């Protein structure tokens, strides 16, 4: 069996375990994937039990919400460690819109067109499986008397899809000592950019936007629905709040990550200058399929997502609220967000109560670290002519917990040239989610190369 064969077999098992996280505390049941991963490592764990060459730990803050940590200690305590941070939960599916069994791990096609269908194949079981496979390979070498120079750790972590409250967030707060957070690899990265002149560029995710969720409350005059005349209608007020919020146009990012992303496309000087300084909405069309992503990573984004008012059709409600999914750029604070909202609301601002929900700052790792250099060299090994472009994720990953503990973290896998960043983004949480087997092969080979390069 090759590393690719092992990765594919393990991926099918993880998909079929259907560890669906619907954001409720007892969903997920990642214990099924933890059991499968422990079985995958069972021979190495047993052989290393007395020598300590391979160790395993399982932790769960709630029954069934299990994370598993497999460690291969390094021979040099001063060498840099490496941690693969893979999550084992997946998001729910709308089965009526799938044309394949979401948890069947069905393989279709052949050659470069071969692909595996199933929830989590892209996000992120298709990365978690090769992470485990490479770690087991290193564990076997350690048991044969050839340990890595630096410690290698694999983590199959629970609850990433619910922002890590029962997974990486809990581990980092309650048991930070069970794994080394200094150098972490997780999702996603490794896809390609459609550069204007036809040259190649591969992205590495170095950070992610923050969260500044808000619930905006308004009040009005209650009464019977049959007599609305002359009343201060709560529904009308919350509707106007929503309209003004939806019209927000924040300033474009001044972060080097944005200007570097624009430069990587090699647009004309006029388009590049407009995008970096003061882009109009239509300017983003230059990114074609990446326009929505480009807009998201270049601005504070404010998305009205939940509206609640009233319970009975014949009663004028006295209160209503609007929930906002707000994603911040590096350096933006909660105070900056509230100021932006107040500007948008204008004369209504004093009539709206702001409630802060989940608030987390944007997190970014530097591009001058030893791990980033090793990742860039690994990309160059497989795509020698490609530029390596650091990018910001519009969503969230478990890497933010490593960064908060002083470590660096990068989203890295590897995709074939045909798989652009837009193609990979479109697969995230999609119907008929699927992974090309060529990308699985590239990823496991890239991880093996990165491990050899970074921990020896």
């Amino acid at each position: 069996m090759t590393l690719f064969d092992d990765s594919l077999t393990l991926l099918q098992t993880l998909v079929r375990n259907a560890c669906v996280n619907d954001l409720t505390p007892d969903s997920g049941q990642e214990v099924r994937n933890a059991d499968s991963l422990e079985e995958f490592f069972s021979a190495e764990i047993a052989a290393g039990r007395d020598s300590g060459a391979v160790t395993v730990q399982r932790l769960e803050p709630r029954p069934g919400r299990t994370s598993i940590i497999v460690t291969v200690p390094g021979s040099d305590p001063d060498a840099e460690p490496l941690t693969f941070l893979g999550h084992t939960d997946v998001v729910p599916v709308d089965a009526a819109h799938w044309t394949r069994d979401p948890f069947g791990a069905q393989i279709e096609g052949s050659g470069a067109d071969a692909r595996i269908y199933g929830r989590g194949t892209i996000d992120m079981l298709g990365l978690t499986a090769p992470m485990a496979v490479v770690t087991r390979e290193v564990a076997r070498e350690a048991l044969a008397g050839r340990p890595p120079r630096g410690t290698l750790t694999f983590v199959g972590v629970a609850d990433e899809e619910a922002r890590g409250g029962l997974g990486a967030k809990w581990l980092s707060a309650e048991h930070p000592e069970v794994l080394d957070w200094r150098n972490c690899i997780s999702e996603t990265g490794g896809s390609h950019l459609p550069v204007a002149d036809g040259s190649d560029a591969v992205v590495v995710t170095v950070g992610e936007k923050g969260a500044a969720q808000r619930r905006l409350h308004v009040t009005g005059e209650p009464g019977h629905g049959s007599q609305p005349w002359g009343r201060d209608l709560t529904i009308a007020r919350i509707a106007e709040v929503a309209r003004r919020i939806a019209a927000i146009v924040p300033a474009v990012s001044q972060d080097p990550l944005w200007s570097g992303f624009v430069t990587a496309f090699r647009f004309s000087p006029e388009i590049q200058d407009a995008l970096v300084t003061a882009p109009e909405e239509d300017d983003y069309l230059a990114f074609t399929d990446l326009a929505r992503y480009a807009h998201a990573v270049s601005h504070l984004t404010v998305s009205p997502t939940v509206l609640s008012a009233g319970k009975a059709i014949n009663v004028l409600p006295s209160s209503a609220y609007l929930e906002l999914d707000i994603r911040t750029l590096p350096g933006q604070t909660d105070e900056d967000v509230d100021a932006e909202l107040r500007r948008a609301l204008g004369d209504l601002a004093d009539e709206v109560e702001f409630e802060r929900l989940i608030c987390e700052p944007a997190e970014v790792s530097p591009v001058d670290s030893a791990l980033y250099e090793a990742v860039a060299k690994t990309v160059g090994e497989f795509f020698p002519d490609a530029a390596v472009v650091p990018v910001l994720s519009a969503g969230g990953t478990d890497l933010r917990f490593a960064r908060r503990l002083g470590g660096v973290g990068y989203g890295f896998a590897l995709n074939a040239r045909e798989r652009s960043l837009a193609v990979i983004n479109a697969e995230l949480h999609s119907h008929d989610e699927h992974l090309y087997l060529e990308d699985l092969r590239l990823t496991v080979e890239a991880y093996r190369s990165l491990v050899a390069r970074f921990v020896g």
Side-chain angles (χ1 to χ4, degrees), residues 95-120:
H97 291 280
W98 280 67
T99 62
R100 285 92 171 166
D101 179 356
F103 304 106
Q106 177 180 338
I107 297 173
E108 294 183 12
S110 60
D113 193 49
R115 53 205 181 276
I116 177 172
Y117 285 84
R119 177 56 90 217

Side-chain angles (χ1 to χ4, degrees), residues 209-223:
K209 296 183 76 177
Q213 296 176 351
R214 295 292 186 274
R215 183 178 291 141
L216 306 187
H217 298 265
V218 302
T219 57
E221 188 177 353

Side-chain angles (χ1 to χ4, degrees), residues 191-196 198-203 260-262 264-265 290 293 387-389 391 417 419-422:
S191 54
H192 300 254
L193 297 180
V195 182
S199 60
D200 193 14
V202 174
V203 301
F261 181 73
V262 173
F265 281 82
L290 278 171
Y293 165 82
V388 179
V389 182
V391 297
R417 177 74 187 272
R419 247 74 74 201
S420 69
L421 178 58

Side-chain angles (χ1 to χ4, degrees), residues 35-36 43 73 91 93 95 109 111 115 118 151 174 191 306 331 349-350 401 432:
D35 288 346
S36 294
V91 296
V93 301
R115 53 205 181 276
T151 295
E174 302 297 330
S191 54
V306 176
D350 291 338
F401 303 113
D432 284 344

Side-chain angles (χ1 to χ4, degrees), residues 349-410:
D350 291 338
E351 300 175 26
V352 177
E353 177 190 346
F354 290 19
E355 179 184 357
R356 294 180 181 180
L357 303 178
I358 293 177
C359 297
E360 297 180 311
E363 305 278 357
V364 180
S365 294
V367 296
D368 60 355
S369 71
L371 180 55
Y372 184 85
E373 180 182 356
V375 167
K377 287 182 177 178
T378 302
V379 172
E381 179 183 337
F382 292 84
F383 296 99
D385 298 326
V388 179
V389 182
V391 297
L392 192 67
S393 172
T397 75
D398 283 335
L399 288 172
R400 67 188 184 279
F401 303 113
R403 297 184 183 112
R404 290 174 192 172
L405 290 174
V408 298
Y410 303 102

Side-chain angles (χ1 to χ4, degrees), residues 17-33 64-66 88-90 158-159:
N17 282 338
C19 296
V20 177
N21 186 346
D22 65 9
L23 312 190
T24 58
D26 292 318
S27 66
Q29 291 302 301
E30 297 90 342
V31 62
R32 294 192 291 272
N33 274 339
R65 308 309 301 271
T66 312
T88 59
D89 60 328
V90 300
D159 203 37

Side-chain angles (χ1 to χ4, degrees), residues 67-420:
S67 295
I68 183 170
I69 303 102
V70 178
T71 304
V72 184
S75 61
D76 181 355
D78 296 323
E80 290 285 342
L82 179 63
T83 296
F84 282 131
L85 200 58
H87 70 78
T88 59
D89 60 328
V90 300
V91 296
V93 301
D94 185 348
H97 291 280
W98 280 67
T99 62
R100 285 92 171 166
D101 179 356
F103 304 106
Q106 177 180 338
I107 297 173
E108 294 183 12
S110 60
D113 193 49
R115 53 205 181 276
I116 177 172
Y117 285 84
R119 177 56 90 217
T121 50
I122 292 288
D123 183 14
M124 69 168 286
L125 303 179
L127 281 65
T128 301
M131 288 174 173
V133 166
V134 168
T135 303
R136 189 175 73 169
E137 182 73 7
V138 173
R140 288 174 172 176
E141 293 176 0
L143 290 166
R146 299 183 299 274
R149 186 177 66 257
T151 295
L152 178 64
T153 304
F154 163 77
V155 189
V157 70
D159 203 37
E160 189 276 343
E161 297 294 356
R163 298 192 68 85
L166 298 173
K169 182 178 181 180
W170 177 77
L171 287 173
S172 66
E174 302 297 330
H175 300 279
E177 75 288 346
V178 300
L179 62 108
D180 200 307
W181 301 88
R182 282 178 285 175
N183 298 290
C184 293
I185 294 292
S186 191
E187 55 186 342
T188 45
S191 54
H192 300 254
L193 297 180
V195 182
D197 64 5
S199 60
D200 193 14
V202 174
V203 301
V204 175
T205 307
V206 300
E208 58 199 64
K209 296 183 76 177
Q213 296 176 351
R214 295 292 186 274
R215 183 178 291 141
L216 306 187
H217 298 265
V218 302
T219 57
E221 188 177 353
H224 199 285
S226 65
Q227 300 180 48
W229 182 83
R231 297 188 189 274
D232 182 7
L233 298 176
T234 303
I235 296 292
R237 180 169 294 181
I238 198 68
E240 178 60 15
V241 167
R243 187 193 69 79
R244 295 187 186 188
I245 292 296
I248 291 176
V249 181
V252 71
S253 172
Q254 298 302 302
D255 192 283
L257 279 176
W258 170 241
S259 58
F261 181 73
V262 173
T263 300
F265 281 82
R266 302 187 180 182
F267 295 130
S268 69
E270 295 78 15
I271 293 177
Q272 179 172 311
D273 183 64
L275 288 167
V276 170
T277 55
E280 301 289 337
E281 290 294 308
D282 287 350
D283 291 332
Y284 285 92
L285 297 177
F287 292 104
T288 61
D289 291 344
L290 278 171
R292 185 172 286 119
Y293 165 82
H295 185 275
V297 297
S298 64
H299 289 85
L300 171 79
T301 53
V302 183
S303 299
T305 53
V306 176
L307 181 63
S308 178
K311 298 186 183 301
I313 197 169
N314 63 342
V315 177
L316 298 173
S318 61
S319 63
Y321 66 78
L322 174 69
E323 290 185 349
L324 306 175
D325 182 7
I326 301 175
R327 305 297 175 114
T328 57
L329 292 169
Q332 292 178 329
T333 66
D334 281 308
E335 289 68 30
D336 296 329
V337 170
D338 288 343
E340 187 78 45
L341 297 177
R342 293 186 69 84
R343 279 193 295 271
L345 293 172
D347 60 351
L348 279 178
D350 291 338
E351 300 175 26
V352 177
E353 177 190 346
F354 290 19
E355 179 184 357
R356 294 180 181 180
L357 303 178
I358 293 177
C359 297
E360 297 180 311
E363 305 278 357
V364 180
S365 294
V367 296
D368 60 355
S369 71
L371 180 55
Y372 184 85
E373 180 182 356
V375 167
K377 287 182 177 178
T378 302
V379 172
E381 179 183 337
F382 292 84
F383 296 99
D385 298 326
V388 179
V389 182
V391 297
L392 192 67
S393 172
T397 75
D398 283 335
L399 288 172
R400 67 188 184 279
F401 303 113
R403 297 184 183 112
R404 290 174 192 172
L405 290 174
V408 298
Y410 303 102
F412 176 57
L414 213 51
N415 302 105
R417 177 74 187 272
E418 303 86 78
R419 247 74 74 201
S420 69

